[in-house]
Amino acid sequence: MEKQNRQLNAPHPGMNLPSDYPPQYPSVGYPGPQADYPGPQAGYSIPPAGYSGAGPVGFPVQHQPVYNQPGGPAGVPWMPAPPPPSGCPPRLEYLSQTDQILVHQQIELLEVITGFETNNKYEIKNSFGQKIYFAVEDTDCCTRNCCGASRPFTMRIIDNMGQEVITLERPLRCDSCCCPCCLQKIEVHAPPGVPVGYVTQTWHPCLPRFTIQNERREDVLKIIGPCVVCSCCADVDFEIKSLDEETIVGKISKQWTGFVREAFTDADNFGIQFPLDLDVKMKAVMLGACFRIDFLFFERKGCI
């Protein structure tokens, strides 16, 4: 039994964890994967028209204590674990009490100096700057440097205990609008091996368009971007809309980080806004859509 526990808690091969991560073992109170985890919900509700995307004033998460993870650098707080709601996949409860996620890609000095493509790494935070997850790309050297931004990849999203919470799988597909037969898609698993949703590209001659699907491949939401994606000195917004495209329920914003960083690196910052009461599985899929947008439009250096 002890041998099986050590194998389950061991980090995935090829995953380079940041230096501020603690030893890889679960907390005393963590019960592990739940055997009685309920099945997927019947559907997902769309917020009413006029939804602003901001949480209610005085929402309890604002009053939770901020603490530093043992072994991590001082001043870098982790979000306290809220109580998991009913039907929530393990370790996704962090998404249940937030309506905004910040995704900050780390700058790799080796990549800046040599131009040699390295695995992307991202910090995922809530609107208060508390870290929720850490995302690490798991792709071999040959694929990264031969396929570039069009490469297939596996993105492993881990929590503050180093446990893999979400897995994103992007197969090798065409990234040209002139070839509508093999468009981009990404699969989202939470926990790893359990599909919770998909992000599929919809062909359009001018606009970037994506469809958010649940685990049964039923359409839930749409994402529509601007005609000109690269914009200088301004954010680029991809609107999250209802299926009839009449109601805007959120957005994924590529944030402007300054001329030097934009011109000489491919490290980008994103903000994701969605309804507070959106299903946590769809919030995880939105996170996958953010990475899909990053690789498709902003992974190349000098895109300003």
Side-chain angles (χ1 to χ4, degrees), residues 32-42 44 84-92 190-191 194-196 215-216 279-281:
Q34 302 176 4
D36 57 347
Y37 169 66
Q41 300 179 3
Y44 303 96
S86 176
C88 177
R91 313 301 286 180
L92 286 191
V194 181
V196 295
E215 66 274 17
R216 298 181 297 276
D279 187 276
V280 291
K281 291 181 284 188

Side-chain angles (χ1 to χ4, degrees), residues 134-301:
F134 190 84
V136 184
E137 179 188 356
D138 186 7
T139 310
D140 64 84
C141 177
C142 181
T143 301
R144 290 195 309 270
N145 290 278
C146 292
C147 298
S150 302
R151 63 185 179 269
F153 65 79
T154 298
M155 190 73 67
R156 306 189 186 279
I157 301 178
I158 56 181
D159 63 6
N160 59 348
M161 291 298 174
Q163 295 178 329
E164 189 171 344
V165 179
I166 305 171
T167 303
L168 310 177
E169 296 283 353
R170 175 200 180 187
L172 181 62
R173 292 293 186 94
C174 178
D175 61 355
S176 174
C177 64
C178 299
C179 185
C181 60
C182 193
L183 296 176
Q184 296 287 327
K185 75 171 184 177
I186 193 167
E187 300 179 9
V188 183
H189 298 245
V194 181
V196 295
Y198 305 86
V199 182
T200 60
Q201 185 179 8
T202 305
W203 185 85
H204 192 277
C206 301
L207 299 177
R209 299 175 67 95
F210 302 90
T211 301
I212 301 298
Q213 299 176 327
N214 60 19
E215 66 274 17
R216 298 181 297 276
R217 296 186 182 273
E218 299 170 344
D219 294 351
V220 178
L221 294 168
K222 292 186 178 181
I223 300 177
I224 302 176
C227 181
V228 179
V229 175
C230 293
S231 179
C232 183
C233 302
D235 294 350
V236 181
D237 293 334
F238 292 76
E239 295 179 338
I240 304 171
K241 295 186 175 183
S242 57
L243 291 179
D244 58 10
E245 301 184 15
E246 296 294 329
T247 305
I248 299 176
V249 300
K251 65 179 180 179
I252 299 176
S253 299
K254 191 273 181 186
Q255 300 168 347
W256 173 256
T257 56
F259 179 82
V260 174
R261 179 164 176 164
E262 296 284 345
F264 298 102
T265 75
D266 58 4
D268 300 308
N269 291 345
F270 289 86
I272 310 174
Q273 296 180 16
F274 38 61
L276 184 65
D277 58 353
L278 185 67
D279 187 276
V280 291
K281 291 181 284 188
M282 290 298 97
K283 291 182 181 181
V285 178
M286 290 297 174
L287 193 56
C290 178
F291 290 118
R292 176 72 293 248
I293 290 172
D294 181 27
F295 273 80
L296 189 59
F297 299 109
F298 304 107
E299 180 65 8
R300 299 171 180 86
K301 298 181 181 66

Side-chain angles (χ1 to χ4, degrees), residues 59-127:
F59 189 65
V61 73
Q62 299 182 19
H63 305 291
Q64 292 179 339
V66 176
Y67 68 96
N68 291 323
Q69 180 69 17
V76 183
W78 284 87
M79 178 181 176
S86 176
C88 177
R91 313 301 286 180
L92 286 191
E93 60 267 19
Y94 294 95
L95 299 178
S96 65
Q97 295 191 0
T98 183
D99 58 6
Q100 183 176 6
I101 294 177
L102 306 177
V103 181
H104 295 166
Q105 184 176 355
Q106 294 187 343
I107 297 178
E108 300 292 337
L109 292 180
L110 177 63
E111 185 174 327
V112 174
I113 296 173
T114 65
F116 189 82
E117 187 69 36
T118 60
N119 279 324
N120 289 355
K121 301 180 182 67
Y122 305 82
E123 282 189 343
I124 302 172
K125 306 176 182 179
N126 61 14
S127 58

Side-chain angles (χ1 to χ4, degrees), residues 10-28:
H12 191 279
M15 205 189 299
N16 298 320
L17 298 181
S19 59
D20 62 329
Y21 267 75
Q24 310 303 313
Y25 52 83
S27 61
V28 176

